[in-house]
Amino acid sequence: MQFVCPQCHISYPATSQRLRCAECGGPLDVADRKRFDPAAINTEDHSLWRYRAMLSLPDGARVVSMGEGMTPLVEAGFAGQPIHFKLEYISPSGSFKDRGTTVLTTALKAWGVTRAADDSSGNAGASFAAYCARAGLAAEVFTPASASPAKLAQIAVFGARLNKVEGAREKATEALEAAAGGGLVYASHAWSPLTLEGTKTIAYEIWEQLGRGVPTCYVCPIGQGSLLLGAYRGFKDLLAAGLIAKLPRIIGVQSIACMPIVEALRQGLDRAAPVEKKLSVAEGISLARPIRDREILRAIRESGGDALAVSDDETLAAQRDLAQIGLYVEPTSAVVGAALKRLKVDGVTVAALTGSGLKSPPALR
Ligand SMILES: [Zn+2]
């Protein structure tokens, strides 16, 4: 298995140590990505591993799974429009992150890793801790000290060593980079190309669940953009296989407290400039500059999509509105509801609800 830099086109043997391109420092992709083949879907498997034939993994990998994926696609009227909600919060650790983590921990095991660490504002850390417990890996998670108490408790209950770091989200990354080495592998969900191998399955599922079709429009939050990029790559695979005629319009949602992608689109830029973040209830998407900004901007433009930013007031109102139709999500996910209230959708719209409301109950905030 090889990784490749999409900018420099340099290949690297895929190992647990290889996170970045040695030449440009940018993120890597899996080389020779597999093509989508509907005949290769294992329909007996009701998890995302039904697409195993389409996933790139190290040789001899044995799957670390808890039945993630194949989340419900539920149609509901919302803000006067019919929306298909993809309930990603119904995942083993309560967020869509499990899609990437199941693939990442499968690879870590195959590479012989025994101690691994990740940095996270909460959901990725909880997912990582859960899958490491499942796989028998010793885990450490570096988080901002300000992360949601429910998320910190969730990380700890899985037995992961929790390192709370004071200051901005980026400080947790710096602390982990300093601690890694000597047997502790930095298994970054944000940098690893295996994360997107996992998240691309959301597009395959939507295609199957819509009766082998894709929506007109796909809406999701943007933090690092792993769910947006996973969907983009998955839909591109379907396009390349001749199974769909065009990409859905991909619409990303940010908080006005931190909106580097919205700004870059407005200014017509190919890269996002780091922004100054303000505090927001949408803590999980508060990232000053996504690692894969270039590809996020390309996905939005190529699909005829857009990005918009919503306020905390709109987000909290949308969280209540979604709960009124039985959908209990955290504020980071409710930004999608806030965006739907502003968008005029036509055709079939799929909106991803990424994280459970149990992770950040209003009464505890
Ligand atoms: Zn490079």
Side-chain angles (χ1 to χ4, degrees), residues 5-10 12 21-26 28:
C5 173
Q7 293 303 316
C8 311
H9 307 289
I10 302 170
Y12 302 90
C21 174
E23 192 64 29
C24 70
L28 300 173

Side-chain angles (χ1 to χ4, degrees), residues 77-82:
F78 184 77
Q81 319 187 74

Side-chain angles (χ1 to χ4, degrees), residues 81-160:
Q81 319 187 74
I83 307 291
H84 288 74
F85 289 102
K86 183 75 169 151
L87 306 193
E88 290 293 286
Y89 65 90
I90 302 179
S91 294
S93 79
S95 85
F96 82 96
K97 299 283 187 184
D98 294 343
R99 287 188 189 275
T101 315
T102 184
V103 178
L104 180 57
T105 47
T106 293
L108 292 175
K109 284 295 275 188
W111 286 324
V113 172
T114 55
R115 282 177 66 217
D118 196 4
D119 55 310
S120 159
S121 68
N123 283 341
S127 179
F128 184 71
Y131 279 80
C132 284
R134 171 76 172 160
L137 286 166
E140 291 197 31
V141 179
F142 289 68
T143 68
S146 59
S148 145
K151 291 178 187 175
L152 295 175
Q154 192 186 4
I155 292 166
V157 82
F158 291 122

Side-chain angles (χ1 to χ4, degrees), residues 21-357:
C21 174
E23 192 64 29
C24 70
L28 300 173
D29 283 335
V30 168
D32 302 322
R33 285 197 45 224
K34 297 188 175 169
R35 297 178 64 82
F36 184 82
D37 175 7
I41 300 172
N42 176 5
T43 54
E44 308 273 293
D45 188 330
H46 298 285
S47 78
L48 63 79
W49 289 99
R50 68 204 271 106
Y51 310 114
R52 179 173 180 160
M54 279 75 90
L55 301 179
S56 295
L57 295 166
D59 289 340
R62 290 175 58 192
V63 171
V64 178
S65 172
M66 290 191 278
E68 55 292 310
M70 289 309 277
T71 54
L73 186 68
V74 174
E75 193 176 358
F78 184 77
Q81 319 187 74
I83 307 291
H84 288 74
F85 289 102
K86 183 75 169 151
L87 306 193
E88 290 293 286
Y89 65 90
I90 302 179
S91 294
S93 79
S95 85
F96 82 96
K97 299 283 187 184
D98 294 343
R99 287 188 189 275
T101 315
T102 184
V103 178
L104 180 57
T105 47
T106 293
L108 292 175
K109 284 295 275 188
W111 286 324
V113 172
T114 55
R115 282 177 66 217
D118 196 4
D119 55 310
S120 159
S121 68
N123 283 341
S127 179
F128 184 71
Y131 279 80
C132 284
R134 171 76 172 160
L137 286 166
E140 291 197 31
V141 179
F142 289 68
T143 68
S146 59
S148 145
K151 291 178 187 175
L152 295 175
Q154 192 186 4
I155 292 166
V157 82
F158 291 122
R161 182 165 159 195
L162 184 58
N163 299 281
K164 290 190 259 184
V165 183
E166 294 294 336
R169 165 71 181 81
E170 289 73 14
K171 295 287 178 196
T173 306
E174 290 167 18
L176 171 47
E177 283 173 343
L184 182 67
V185 169
Y186 180 18
S188 171
H189 72 281
W191 283 92
S192 175
L194 294 165
T195 302
L196 298 179
E197 281 294 289
T199 55
K200 75 182 182 186
T201 57
I202 192 173
Y204 302 165
E205 287 177 21
I206 291 169
W207 176 76
E208 280 203 83
Q209 289 171 319
L210 289 177
R212 301 200 160 196
V214 287
T216 317
C217 192
Y218 168 82
V219 190
C220 71
I222 312 175
Q224 282 292 6
S226 63
L227 198 59
L228 184 144
L229 290 177
Y232 169 63
R233 290 182 176 200
F235 290 136
K236 290 262 283 190
D237 291 345
L238 296 169
L239 195 62
L243 296 166
I244 60 172
K246 64 181 223 180
L247 293 176
R249 293 180 59 213
I250 295 176
I251 297 180
V253 190
Q254 300 196 296
S255 154
I256 57 172
C258 180
M259 48 176 193
I261 297 297
V262 172
E263 289 287 0
L265 277 177
R266 273 184 196 161
Q267 295 172 32
L269 304 175
D270 291 333
R271 303 228 44 189
V275 295
E276 204 172 316
K277 299 190 288 187
K278 299 182 188 72
L279 275 179
S280 166
V281 293
E283 52 169 4
I285 50 169
S286 183
L287 279 141
R289 186 188 192 181
I291 290 167
R292 295 181 190 266
D293 55 338
R294 214 189 303 251
E295 189 181 353
I296 294 170
L297 290 163
R298 193 168 62 239
I300 291 170
R301 291 191 175 114
E302 186 183 322
S303 70
D306 201 357
L308 65 164
V310 297
S311 70
D312 276 5
D313 285 348
E314 289 176 280
T315 299
L316 293 174
Q319 186 190 26
R320 286 189 297 273
D321 294 342
L322 287 165
Q324 294 303 308
I325 54 169
L327 305 171
Y328 184 32
V329 299
E330 63 174 319
T332 298
S333 311
V335 297
V336 161
L340 291 171
K341 287 164 81 172
R342 282 211 221 147
L343 290 168
K344 189 107 189 73
V345 303
D346 55 357
V348 175
T349 294
V350 169
L353 297 179
T354 49
S356 167

